């Protein structure tokens, strides 16, 4: 099939390359001239395992092209897949300007029957509005007859950063929201060759499934984080508790890692958006309000823990391991790590930071007083305390006996329980995890 993917961020680029690998001919469109130029040269503008190799493979096989000009690739395209960003506004609403801008552009250049599919995470009802928008544009330029043949589909993504390709090629489910059998069928053919249960359903269901999935996972995280607070108070170990409850298949083992809370470009935005959607529809979604509150509280609580132990952090040298919102990515959007570093810095701590992939992105966002160290060990040199903020496996591989010698005070606050099983107290460290004493 001939498909056009609009938006070359994490979702658009991974999906575009994924569909190309499945055998489709893909044109990726973006307004960012520099990004398109880099992609054209085989460069991926962010870190995502396997993506660069797949990009080059698809380019060599001539299955994918990149352009800033939608018109030049619209001819004969069967599916226009919208994958642009839907960031939160200052008021916590979903900013849909990019989606509707693209819908306008599609309407202006469409002169044949096609499906407009939306992969961006959008509030319930948006797909229908996008279809109206495309049709209105077509009618305005005298294409009323063809406009009736345009269909819309909601195809939410469930890609997790750091393993996005893995998730693309081994999905648990493929959700397709549409208004008729033909559209479901065409969208089904787009995904032919992929495993996973097909959920062919209505537009509204598909839109809500996406929010429900992210909100439920965020709820699991906030639940285990509150349990960690209890565990700490009663002298229990959250990791043992999480492991034991996770063995029950009704609960499941994933998303039960206690820590400094969830971040990233999806969970904070999507949980708030669903909370707001509920409110707009006259329903107070109390549980989600609490999920958000617990998540914010988790960062405050971690900071208090550090301050309680050190007295004041003013003038104290603190090494921070991690900037990304989780291990495996260089994405620092809504990163709890970044927030904690900024707050420690504002309280007068002298911060030295290291992250294997996210340093470039964080430069310029953090205060000039913060030192970017070339290695994890260098960051910890002369430190009064070490805070672990991102779950990079690399941090487990340092020599902890050398680390012990390099630090002035062998105190570790582990915001991810990454080192909890490493028996660091036996090596002379004072170790504080989240709901665990290691
Ligand atoms: C998430 C979902 O997992 C994807 O299915 C979804 O497609 C994506 O959002 C999206 O909406 O686009 P992602 O944001 O890449 O993917 O990250 P996750 O792996 O879900 O982690 C989110 C946050 O939760 C991270 O800050 C992570 O550190 C935190 N987390 C995760 C915990 O604190 N504890 C856990 O047990 C798991």
């Amino acid at each position: 099939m001939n498909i056009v993917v609009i938006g070359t961020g994490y979702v658009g680029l991974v999906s575009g390359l994924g569909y190309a690998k499945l055998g489709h001919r893909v044109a990726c469109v973006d307004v960012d001239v520099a990004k398109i130029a880099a992609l054209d040269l085989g460069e991926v503008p962010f870190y995502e395992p396997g993506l660069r190799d797949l990009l080059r493979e698809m380019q060599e096989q001539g299955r994918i092209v990149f352009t800033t000009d939608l018109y030049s690739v619209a001819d004969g395209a069967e599916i226009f897949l919208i994958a642009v960003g839907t960031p939160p506004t200052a008021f916590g609403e979903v900013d849909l300007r990019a989606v509707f801008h693209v819908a306008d552009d599609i309407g202006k250049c469409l002169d044949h029957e096609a499906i407009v599919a939306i992969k961006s995470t959008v509030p319930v009802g948006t797909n229908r509005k996008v279809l109206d928008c495309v049709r209105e544009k077509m009618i305005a330029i005298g294409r009323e007859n063809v406009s009736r043949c345009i269909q819309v589909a909601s195809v939410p993504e469930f890609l997790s950063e750091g393993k996005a390709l893995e998730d693309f090629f081994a999905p648990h489910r493929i959700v397709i929201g549409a208004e008729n059998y033909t559209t479901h069928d065409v969208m089904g053919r787009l995904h032919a060759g992929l495993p996973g249960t097909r959920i062919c359903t209505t537009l509204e269901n598909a839109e809500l499934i996406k929010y429900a999935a992210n909100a439920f996972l965020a709820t699991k995280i906030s639940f285990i984080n509150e349990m960690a607070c209890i565990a700490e108070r009663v002298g229990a170990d959250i990791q043992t508790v999480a492991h034991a409850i996770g063995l029950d298949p009704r609960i499941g083992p994933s998303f039960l890692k206690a820590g400094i809370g969830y971040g990233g470009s999806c969970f904070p935005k999507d949980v708030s958006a669903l909370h707001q959607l509920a409110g707009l529809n006259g329903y107070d979604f109390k549980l989600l309000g609490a999920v958000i509150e617990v998540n914010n509280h988790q960062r405050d609580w971690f900071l208090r823990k550090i301050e309680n132990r050190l007295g004041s952090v003013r003038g104290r040298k603190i090494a921070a391991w991690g900037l990304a919102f989780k291990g495996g990515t260089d994405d620092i959007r809504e990163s709890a790590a970044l927030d904690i570093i900024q707050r420690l810095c504002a309280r007068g701590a002298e911060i030295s930071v290291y992250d294997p992939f996210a340093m470039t992105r964080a430069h310029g966002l953090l205060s000039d007083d913060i030192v970017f160290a070339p290695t994890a060990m260098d960051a910890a040199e002369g430190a009064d305390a070490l805070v672990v903020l991102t779950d990079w496996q690399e941090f487990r591989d340092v020599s902890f006996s050398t680390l012990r010698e390099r630090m002035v005070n062998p105190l570790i606050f582990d915001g991810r329980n990454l080192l909890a099983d490493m028996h660091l107290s036996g090596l002379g460290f004072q170790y504080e995890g989240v709901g665990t004493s290691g």
Side-chain angles (χ1 to χ4, degrees), residues 212-332:
N214 276 0
F216 187 77
L217 293 173
T219 303
K220 274 185 106 175
I221 298 171
S222 279
F223 173 81
I224 206 68
N225 281 337
E226 285 217 282
M227 285 303 298
C229 292
I230 305 283
E232 220 166 90
R233 281 173 170 75
V234 301
D237 178 64
I238 194 60
Q239 305 223 100
T240 310
V241 173
H243 173 66
I245 63 171
L247 290 172
D248 182 334
R250 292 171 303 174
I251 296 174
S254 56
F255 284 74
L256 288 179
K257 273 195 240 144
I260 49 178
Y262 60 78
S265 64
C266 304
F267 282 8
K269 166 177 77 92
D270 294 350
V271 175
S272 293
L274 182 55
H275 191 237
Q276 211 162 58
L277 181 86
L280 288 173
N281 285 279
Y283 182 72
D284 177 16
F285 201 147
K286 296 185 198 66
L287 181 60
L288 280 193
V291 167
I292 297 166
E293 199 183 320
V294 170
N295 198 54
N296 293 334
H297 169 263
Q298 212 57 17
R299 300 175 187 187
D300 302 339
W301 174 75
F302 189 69
L303 281 164
R304 261 204 313 278
K305 202 178 169 94
I306 298 170
E307 288 189 315
N308 286 345
R309 191 66 178 254
L310 290 175
S312 161
V313 295
R314 183 159 297 281
R316 309 301 290 272
K317 187 170 175 215
I318 297 181
W321 282 0
L323 288 162
F325 82 95
K326 65 173 183 178
T329 175
D330 62 352
D331 197 341
I332 52 171

Side-chain angles (χ1 to χ4, degrees), residues 74 160 173 195 207 434 437:
S160 180
R173 74 293 208 193
E207 291 168 324
V434 175
S437 51

Side-chain angles (χ1 to χ4, degrees), residues 141-162:
I141 51 176
R143 292 180 181 150
E144 186 162 0
N145 281 347
V146 198
S147 80
R148 291 195 202 99
C149 306
I150 306 303
Q151 299 296 330
V152 70
S154 168
V155 275
E157 53 82 22
F158 303 100
L159 309 172
S160 180
E161 289 180 25

